[in-house]
Amino acid sequence: MARIAAGLESAFARRGFAVPSVEDLRDAAGVSLRTLYKYAPSRDRMVRIALEHRHRRYLDHVFSDLPMGHEAALDALFERIGLWMERETSHGCLFHAAVAANPDDNELKALLERHKSEVAERAAGATGLSGRKIELMQVIEGLTQSWPLYRERATTGARHLGAALRRAEVPGPFDARTSSPSLT
């Protein structure tokens, strides 16, 4: 099953969600059509299998063995995301692309939300920015979405914004400095 999931993920990452035919997906998975349909009886299921596989790989790549210390973890986080973008998906986030390709699919939307929520929780915990989780996620999303245009400069920009968050120079929405209740 892991080989099928990896092949499907690779095919969708390279060619998008509309272009690959079932035969292309079968070839990418390296199995017969019968075997592919045994584990993924529909194209929708193939997309979900690919995204679940990607979710696990992304979390492992970004969060495994982060350095100790919040500042070092923050820098490593942005560097790893930049490296992921360079090696894995230079066109932007595959989860967002899946929802854009099928905007009425509530299961895909839920998968996107679960992925982003887990990334936000782990990133905030690793960097000591639990009170700035929304802002941290905005920086991460900005890095992911701007990578195709700016490449390494996007990573550098994210590191600068992350450092500003660490120094608390960037007031959060509705934080104590604005006299409004915090959302975090």
Side-chain angles (χ1 to χ4, degrees):
M1 182 62 177
R3 185 173 98 195
I4 293 171
L8 292 172
E9 177 198 351
S10 177
F12 290 130
R14 277 191 331 273
R15 302 192 59 213
F17 292 96
V19 173
S21 67
V22 173
E23 290 76 20
D24 294 334
L25 296 171
R26 175 204 62 210
D27 292 346
V31 296
S32 69
L33 195 55
R34 181 178 178 182
T35 300
L36 178 60
Y37 276 124
K38 175 182 176 185
Y39 292 101
S42 69
R43 188 177 192 90
D44 288 343
R45 184 71 183 124
M46 291 176 201
V47 169
R48 284 169 183 69
I49 288 169
L51 291 176
E52 286 290 347
H53 186 260
R54 188 158 192 100
H55 172 71
R56 288 186 302 275
R57 283 191 339 101
Y58 182 83
L59 293 178
D60 186 53
H61 172 81
V62 173
F63 295 106
S64 289
D65 301 319
L66 279 173
M68 298 301 290
H70 294 147
E71 191 172 327
L74 185 64
D75 282 345
L77 179 84
F78 293 132
E79 291 301 319
R80 290 175 182 190
I81 293 170
L83 186 61
W84 175 270
M85 295 304 296
E86 180 180 348
R87 292 181 178 171
E88 300 285 340
T89 184
S90 60
H91 304 295
C93 175
L94 196 62
F95 291 87
H96 282 294
V99 171
N102 196 352
D104 297 326
D105 188 326
N106 289 328
E107 286 183 44
L108 278 181
K109 289 177 186 176
L111 186 56
L112 167 67
E113 184 177 333
R114 183 176 58 103
H115 173 70
K116 297 301 181 177
S117 293
E118 192 164 342
V119 169
E121 287 295 326
R122 288 187 181 204
T127 62
L129 291 169
S130 295
R132 300 278 185 176
K133 184 170 50 177
I134 293 170
E135 294 94 331
L136 178 59
M137 201 57 197
Q138 288 173 320
V139 175
I140 290 170
E141 287 295 295
L143 170 55
T144 302
Q145 296 305 316
S146 66
W147 177 265
L149 295 174
Y150 302 112
R151 307 199 50 85
E152 292 83 10
R153 291 182 301 166
T155 303
T156 301
R159 289 179 69 202
H160 289 297
L161 290 170
L165 282 175
R166 294 252 353 113
R167 292 189 307 269
E169 290 177 2
V170 179
F174 313 110
D175 73 359
R177 287 171 259 194
T178 63
S179 304
S180 298
S182 175
L183 295 176
T184 55

